Amino acid sequence: FRGGINIHKLLAGKLSLYDIQLHQPMVNLVVVDSINSNFNILPPSEPEIEPDTATTQLPIIEIDHFAIIDAKPIKFFSLADSIDVALQLNTTYLDGTNNPQYTLDINGNIATPLLGLINLKDMPFILNGGIKWNQASPAIVELNAFNAGVDIFNAHIDGRFDLGDEMTINELNVALDPIKYSDIKTRVPQEYASLCKDIYSDAAITFETQLTKPYNLSTDTIPWAEIKIDVPQCKFKYGDLNVDKFKAKVNASLKGENLNNAIVDIAYVSLNGMGINCNLSTTASSLISDPLAKGKFSGMVSLEKLPPFIKKMVDGKLSGKVNANTEFLIIVNEMLFVKKFKIFGKIII
């Protein structure tokens, strides 16, 4: 361990630390049961009268740089359920020269036999970006241009959090980097791998969400939020199914606890392949009481180019084309039985 204290600021009542370095730390935690562990070594303390926090003032603390150098693995083992985890920190650095704006950079690997379930030996992770924390309001933390990632998932986060008595997310924007189907496929547990081994696709999914109202972690269950899911143009193949072009975009608007007010908007689903070239867009509302879907469907089906498994359902020969350009309205009840179905437009066979 090494570091320094600014004596001039200390005389003025401010604890200013600089160039703090922790060299080769090693942590080994062992839990035997709910009572015994190698870190639960202090006897219970006597009850104390809680201090008057209203009149207690924390000293001003500053840190310009903090780093962990050549860290050894942080290990955790639970004897009761055989949980064995090792955390290796490759980089740990905090820059506070512009406080209350800090810059954090952490990356490393997590290793545990449990990762064998998804065909991995270890899993990389990162935490880096801006953190704003002012000691004058210690419960308020802001993240800006912050990245949090584990394995194939990486999230870009901007948010403002109140960590006081009632923990509240005041603002939050999260955007995930594209998640490739090919990466997900290699991580499917062995017992389910057969379900997707013959599915091939270059698809990648992006996800974004934004809170539209503060979310209280103590009292709220469903947030007010806007959600966007996007699948850029891709290919898909499974057996006789061969889709040359597919793309989709779905937006959802959550209105808190009342799911009936939520709206799901399928901006578009576009499919081209197997003799089918079609586009669908629809908006669903009143999701609980009387689910309603209103949208448009247009496209063309070349009957002779349909996949073999569809042709086998027909006792005869299929030929010709079906063209459609329609609008539709569907209303179902709580048992998902259709109450009303209307279609407007043209269908040409």
Side-chain angles (χ1 to χ4, degrees):
F1 175 83
R2 62 177 295 181
I5 300 176
N6 189 314
I7 300 300
H8 295 289
K9 291 186 177 182
L10 184 63
L11 295 176
K14 181 183 294 185
L15 183 59
S16 181
L17 309 176
Y18 61 90
D19 296 337
I20 304 299
Q21 294 183 357
L22 192 59
H23 286 259
Q24 297 185 329
M26 182 172 62
V27 179
N28 191 15
L29 306 174
V30 179
V31 175
V32 178
D33 51 37
S34 60
I35 299 176
N36 301 298
S37 65
N38 69 340
F39 53 86
N40 187 18
I41 58 176
L42 298 176
S45 58
E46 295 293 329
E48 296 182 0
I49 300 176
E50 293 187 4
D52 185 1
T53 56
T55 59
T56 302
Q57 186 173 2
L58 295 174
I60 298 174
I61 302 174
E62 293 180 347
I63 300 177
D64 69 344
H65 297 102
F66 172 82
I68 296 178
I69 310 297
D70 297 331
K72 301 297 182 181
I74 300 172
K75 296 182 178 181
F76 173 85
F77 180 71
S78 174
L79 191 63
D81 45 25
S82 299
I83 294 178
D84 188 1
V85 180
L87 176 67
Q88 178 64 58
L89 296 173
N90 298 327
T91 301
T92 305
Y93 181 73
L94 178 69
D95 184 343
T97 52
N98 296 317
N99 71 81
Q101 182 67 47
Y102 298 85
T103 301
L104 179 69
D105 185 9
I106 297 176
N107 71 71
N109 287 276
I110 302 171
T112 172
L114 295 175
L115 291 175
L117 296 173
I118 54 174
N119 310 313
L120 295 176
K121 292 183 178 180
D122 59 15
M123 181 179 289
F125 69 90
I126 63 167
L127 294 169
N128 62 53
I131 301 176
K132 186 175 181 180
W133 179 76
N134 193 327
Q135 195 169 341
S137 304
I140 304 299
V141 176
E142 294 183 27
L143 301 181
N144 45 78
F146 195 87
N147 296 321
V150 57
D151 194 33
I152 61 174
F153 304 98
N154 187 61
H156 304 274
I157 304 171
D158 291 275
R160 188 170 186 271
F161 309 85
D162 186 342
L163 307 180
D165 294 336
E166 290 196 359
M167 297 180 64
T168 302
I169 305 174
N170 293 316
E171 300 173 14
L172 182 64
N173 294 280
V174 178
L176 292 182
D177 284 344
I179 303 169
K180 297 180 180 179
Y181 166 76
S182 57
D183 290 334
I184 296 174
K185 182 178 178 179
T186 61
R187 288 156 176 79
V188 174
Q190 289 295 330
E191 58 266 35
Y192 303 111
S194 60
L195 299 177
C196 59
K197 71 174 183 176
D198 295 326
I199 301 175
Y200 303 94
S201 177
D202 60 353
I205 301 173
T206 63
F207 174 90
E208 296 182 31
T209 186
Q210 177 181 7
L211 282 186
T212 54
K213 285 188 177 182
Y215 180 75
N216 188 311
L217 296 175
S218 302
T219 59
D220 297 338
T221 55
I222 302 174
W224 286 68
E226 298 291 329
I227 299 171
K228 298 179 181 180
I229 301 173
D230 187 16
V231 182
Q233 185 168 297
C234 60
K235 298 179 180 179
F236 174 89
K237 180 174 174 50
Y238 175 68
D240 294 331
L241 294 175
N242 193 355
V243 178
D244 299 320
K245 296 179 181 179
F246 175 85
K247 61 180 180 179
K249 178 175 284 188
V250 179
N251 304 316
S253 181
L254 301 181
K255 307 293 184 181
E257 312 297 328
N258 191 347
L259 281 177
N260 198 54
N261 291 336
I263 296 174
V264 178
D265 175 41
I266 300 177
Y268 57 78
V269 173
S270 178
L271 184 150
N272 189 336
M274 307 171 297
I276 302 173
N277 185 357
C278 64
N279 297 280
L280 169 71
S281 63
T282 184
T283 299
S285 57
S286 301
L287 302 181
I288 303 300
S289 57
D290 286 307
L292 179 151
K294 183 178 181 180
K296 297 179 180 181
F297 176 84
S298 63
M300 180 273 294
V301 177
S302 179
L303 299 179
E304 62 268 21
K305 294 182 180 180
L306 290 174
F309 77 93
I310 294 181
K311 293 181 179 179
K312 290 178 181 178
M313 299 178 184
V314 179
D315 186 13
K317 182 180 179 180
L318 289 175
S319 63
K321 295 181 179 179
V322 178
N323 290 277
N325 187 2
T326 65
E327 297 182 7
F328 61 87
L329 173 68
I330 303 174
I331 301 177
V332 300
N333 60 19
E334 63 275 6
M335 300 301 292
L336 299 183
F337 292 123
V338 176
K339 293 174 61 176
K340 181 182 292 186
F341 178 78
K342 290 184 178 181
I343 186 167
F344 314 90
K346 294 181 180 181
I347 298 177
I348 303 173
I349 302 177

